[in-house]
Amino acid sequence: MNQFITRYTGLPLPRRFYKILEETLAKYDVAHSSGVTLSFRYEDYSAELGGYHPVEIRLDKEGDEWTLCYMTDFAWVGHPAELEKELDICFVSQLFYGSMIGRMPLSRVKSFARTFVDNFVEYHDSGVYSVKLSAD
């Protein structure tokens, strides 16, 4: 079944980003789901060795299309280390969160947010992530 993600107009995102999400959804039976959370993980990421941060992307279904809710990057922080939110784009409220800068309108950090998404695409395409889908 063809999965279509509604294009977010508040931030120009690369076509490849949408393609990754659509291809991932197509691998699962999500026809009767109202929402999904995609967890992209680099299995060797640890507080000691570092690595590619885990990324979580939430999509909700509206009619026959999926809409972006949020995209969150997690990082190990502190001693003892805990996995915490480092970067977050909330597409619904058009807010951006950075652990070092706090929350602000996405419109103020479009370039930085786009770099975050571009990096995710590059990491995904280099094959570093395994993907897990949780559906509602």
Side-chain angles (χ1 to χ4, degrees):
M1 180 174 186
N2 189 18
Q3 304 295 335
F4 184 76
I5 314 270
T6 302
R7 295 332 188 226
Y8 180 71
T9 58
L11 177 68
L13 298 172
R15 277 189 231 149
R16 181 68 186 132
F17 175 70
Y18 292 106
K19 188 82 169 154
I20 289 167
L21 300 180
E22 290 165 354
E23 289 171 352
T24 302
L25 285 176
K27 294 176 185 177
Y28 297 91
D29 180 12
V30 294
H32 301 291
S33 300
S34 60
V36 296
T37 302
L38 303 173
S39 298
F40 296 85
R41 301 281 189 253
Y42 174 65
E43 298 301 327
D44 293 332
Y45 179 59
S46 69
E48 296 79 26
L49 301 175
Y52 300 94
H53 292 186
V55 173
E56 188 174 282
I57 299 172
R58 173 70 183 186
L59 302 162
D60 281 339
K61 196 165 194 182
E62 294 183 9
D64 292 333
E65 295 182 4
W66 295 92
T67 59
L68 289 164
C69 293
Y70 65 79
M71 179 176 181
T72 305
D73 171 278
F74 297 92
W76 289 108
V77 177
H79 298 284
E82 294 183 48
L83 203 55
E84 294 184 7
K85 184 187 302 188
E86 183 176 57
L87 301 172
D88 180 69
I89 300 172
C90 181
F91 298 102
V92 176
S93 63
Q94 299 182 27
L95 291 173
F96 179 85
Y97 169 81
S99 61
M100 303 297 266
I101 58 175
R103 192 167 313 283
M104 65 184 57
L106 181 56
S107 60
R108 291 187 50 204
V109 290
K110 281 186 176 184
S111 178
F112 184 79
R114 174 63 193 253
T115 299
F116 167 39
V117 175
D118 288 343
N119 286 343
F120 166 78
V121 169
E122 289 297 319
Y123 302 153
H124 177 276
D125 287 349
S126 67
V128 301
Y129 291 126
S130 61
V131 183
K132 178 183 169 194
L133 181 140
S134 301
D136 303 344

